Amino acid sequence: MKLLAVLAAVVTALAVAPEARAQDVPADDPDFGPVIVIEDIEVVGNRSTQADVIVRALPLEIGDALRAGDKRLRDARFKLLALGFFRDVTLGLRKGQERGRVVLTVTVVERGTVVLNRLWFGTSVSSPYWFGVDVAERNLLGTGLSLVGGAIYAGSGDVEGSRDQWAARLRIADPALLGTPYGIRGSIGWIHGSEPFRVAGEPADDRARNFEAFSYQRITARGGVTWDASAFTTFALEARLEAIDVDVPTSPTRALEDGRVSAVDLHLRPGSSEVVSVQVSLDRDSRPDPVLPRSGSRFAAQAELGSTLLGGSYDFASVDTRYERWWPIGKAAALGLRLKGGVVLGDPPRFDLIHVGDVDPLLTSRALGLTLSAASPGDLLDTGTAEASYGEVGGSVGVEYARHLFTRTSLIYGGDWFVGGGLWALSSRDDLALRDASVWRSLPVDLFLDAGLRLDTGLGVFELTIANALGRVPL
Amino acid sequence: MRLLSVVVALAVLAAPAATARGDEDDDVAQKSQKMKFTEKDGEILVTTKINKLFDSAAYEAIGSGFESTILIRIWVYKKGGSDPVAFTVLQRKVIYDMWDEVYEIQLDGPDGRSKQKVKYRAEALKLLTRIDALPIADAGDLAYEEHHYLTTVVELNPVSEETLAEVRRWLTKGGGGGLDRGGGLFGSMVSVFVNPKISDADRVMRLKSQPFYRPTP
């Protein structure tokens, strides 16, 4: 951590170049410009987006009296662009019926609002193939509602007891209810899963014969409210109801290398069980460009409390946090720091534990809740991480250097190559409590490295990285 | 730890390439422009024009009733040097009052703020784009007979980083899910959508003067 502090100091010093003084622009004059009264707001060019949705997003309304130099007028165009519904927005003013009154004309050029959010595909020992997509319509029927649907299918491999898996999730959200900073959102998901667990073999031996799988089904409903506290900060409060139906093997065990047999805790109630929980979350993102970041930061945190007092079968609490900060190195490069961590307390269902794919970027992440690979980590530092599959305490810290690669064209806005790496750790609270050495020596910690290319284009964003490839085709 | 050391080394190596100067940018080419430099009352003054910042659309927009803003940043460098000797920032704004049919202009510079009203758009443009005997450095900061040059970055209606962040925030706002432990903007290799680019200014112009020097008296 001392090294990271030094690193941050170096980068901060580099960032304070003479150009930083250029930010010393004179303060706004609140008395600049004639006083005008908004007599009417006309919306032009909207073919699918309802005019009300556009007018509600403006930072001013009919009847407002303000200076023509008011920040709200300057910001109006960007408030509309921030909806993500328009390719361009042009504002105009013309004289109204009486002196001092003006009509604000908003001309929009709509864009396609269907977004391919994610594409899942790959192969592993436990799932020889999987394929899935997550697609969103961000402006459903022009109402400003967001509808997101995701589905994935994974074939079963040679793991005993495994079956084909599939999952689907449908999410709907109104991020600005009636133009207010409050929103609502809800989702429903169905998982028909098959979860592998190790029953034999050395930790690094990922052959199918060393695993068995059990079948389960999860149906999850979530609903909650959001609050945009500022342009960059959103809070959310959400409830979760989940029904789990699991066919847990009786007394699952694992044959250890020394001949002993140990019990395997699958962290699930046999048969049917329920999860009832409440969740609060915060997301603050101040990166001017989240695709090819050069500055700013993002912080996201989520705390969840599940209880039998609420009607569930599990008493647990969890906290997940993520922090990312970027420092510019001139205009062409940037250094990023990424921190991610979580802790789960109590008696959570297996699916709420931290999976090794959540913290090690070189492994396959879970997709829509499905575990697609039982591959073990590389254990590059020989600290015993190959044993890690699920844990209650985990996280990662990474540093990334990104540098501008492409000159901007009409279609490719920019491209970066990047190289990065860091450390991740995952453990259970019991393993940490029953250690015979310091926390640092007892904590399975491993290294990850990554490099690749990112493109920001008119058709979306693309990333080609070593870690991404390894997550799809484990070596 | 070795990896982190390598990354630090990379960052430090990259640092000399950093834009610690006002004459480098990836997107906008720098153009040479002849400028007039004089010395008066212990100050170096520059006279030049930036009227090429305005194309016909930008010129028409002056009369739209919305504010047009020009941000002018000026650096003075010793020839061959990498650190600026002096830095000046100017901000100029214009708004058309459609009821009184006048252009209100506000000029901010080293001498403070001044306001004017003019009748015609051409007059407004002249006030906005003319740099007339502007003090850019203390004469004492420029050694005799040493060559210096001036660079300037002129932006029309610059957009703040905060606004850019707000405009692109929908990219990472969740669609109703919460924190996806394995997710993120990237991680799926591709995200396809209509992706219009929002520029950080309507127009940007980068100029570099000819070398100049203070002759020994």
Side-chain angles (χ1 to χ4, degrees), chain B residues 9-27:
Chain B
L10 266 175
V12 172
L13 282 174
T19 310
R21 4 181 352 131
D23 58 356
E24 293 174 13
D25 189 276
D26 296 321
D27 304 326

Side-chain angles (χ1 to χ4, degrees), chain B residues 74-182:
Chain B
I74 298 171
W75 294 262
V76 177
Y77 290 97
K78 183 180 168 185
K79 194 174 180 185
S82 59
D83 293 325
V85 177
F87 171 75
T88 309
V89 62
L90 309 175
Q91 184 174 263
R92 296 172 171 186
K93 295 184 173 188
V94 60
I95 289 182
Y96 180 58
D97 183 340
M98 57 182 64
W99 284 100
D100 286 346
E101 297 185 345
V102 293
Y103 293 86
E104 291 190 22
I105 293 168
Q106 180 179 288
L107 307 173
D108 285 292
D111 298 331
R113 175 170 287 170
S114 65
K115 293 182 179 179
Q116 295 184 46
K117 290 184 180 179
V118 296
K119 185 73 181 167
Y120 300 106
R121 195 181 304 174
E123 287 179 272
L125 182 70
K126 198 171 174 183
L127 284 169
L128 292 170
T129 60
R130 197 171 64 187
I131 295 175
D132 208 1
L134 172 76
I136 51 167
D138 289 334
D141 292 339
L142 278 64
Y144 289 119
E145 303 297 335
E146 278 189 350
H147 282 81
H148 291 77
Y149 65 93
L150 176 152
T151 70
T152 180
V153 177
V154 186
E155 294 172 276
L156 177 62
N157 297 326
V159 182
S160 70
E161 288 210 328
E162 289 76 17
T163 302
L164 285 175
E166 188 179 347
V167 168
R168 298 210 89 189
R169 193 169 176 238
W170 68 268
L171 278 171
T172 50
K173 255 187 166 178
L179 197 64
D180 180 3
R181 276 192 180 138

Side-chain angles (χ1 to χ4, degrees), chain A residues 352-363:
Chain A
D352 281 75
L353 293 170
I354 302 168
H355 184 253
V356 66
D358 300 336
V359 291
D360 183 357
L362 301 177
L363 293 179

Side-chain angles (χ1 to χ4, degrees), chain A residues 37 53 76 88 98 126 128 389 397 419 451:
Chain A
V37 176
V53 173
D88 198 9
E98 295 176 28
S126 55
S389 60
V397 53
V419 59

Side-chain angles (χ1 to χ4, degrees), chain A residues 273-292:
Chain A
S273 58
E274 292 79 36
V275 179
V276 183
S277 68
V278 289
Q279 191 180 77
V280 290
S281 60
L282 158 69
D283 189 338
R284 178 174 167 75
D285 191 351
S286 66
R287 296 169 300 168
D289 186 346
V291 180
L292 306 175

Side-chain angles (χ1 to χ4, degrees), chain A residues 124 126 198 203 206 211 355-356 363-364 373-377 386 388 474-475:
Chain A
S124 72
S126 55
R198 182 177 288 280
D206 293 333
F211 294 89
H355 184 253
V356 66
L363 293 179
T364 308
S373 172
S376 53
L475 297 175

Side-chain angles (χ1 to χ4, degrees), chain A residues 401-453:
Chain A
Y401 174 80
R403 190 165 183 85
H404 183 67
L405 187 62
F406 291 109
T407 303
R408 214 176 261 190
T409 69
S410 57
L411 185 62
I412 299 176
Y413 303 139
D416 277 357
W417 63 263
F418 73 91
V419 59
L423 300 169
W424 65 266
L426 180 64
S427 186
S428 69
R429 284 181 294 117
D430 284 347
D431 286 348
L432 287 179
L434 301 175
R435 60 194 156 81
D436 54 4
S438 67
V439 172
W440 174 249
R441 290 186 181 279
S442 305
L443 192 66
V445 176
D446 210 353
L447 187 71
F448 66 87
L449 298 165
D450 197 10
L453 190 66

Side-chain angles (χ1 to χ4, degrees), chain A residues 22 27-29 79 95 98-99 111 116 283 285 302 320 322 352 401 413 456-457 459 461 463, chain B residues 3 8 14 67 73 93 98-100 113 115 166 169 172 179-181 189 191-195:
Chain A
D28 272 351
D29 177 1
K79 294 286 182 190
K95 284 181 180 176
E98 295 176 28
R99 180 178 174 78
R111 45 178 282 200
L116 172 60
D283 189 338
D285 191 351
Q302 175 178 294
D320 279 293
R322 192 179 297 174
D352 281 75
Y401 174 80
Y413 303 139
D456 183 10
T457 79
L459 298 174
V461 295
E463 183 179 65
Chain B
L3 171 76
V8 173
E67 179 183 286
R73 291 172 289 165
K93 295 184 173 188
M98 57 182 64
W99 284 100
D100 286 346
R113 175 170 287 170
K115 293 182 179 179
E166 188 179 347
R169 193 169 176 238
T172 50
L179 197 64
D180 180 3
R181 276 192 180 138
M189 206 166 81
S191 183
V192 178
F193 52 92
V194 179
N195 182 22

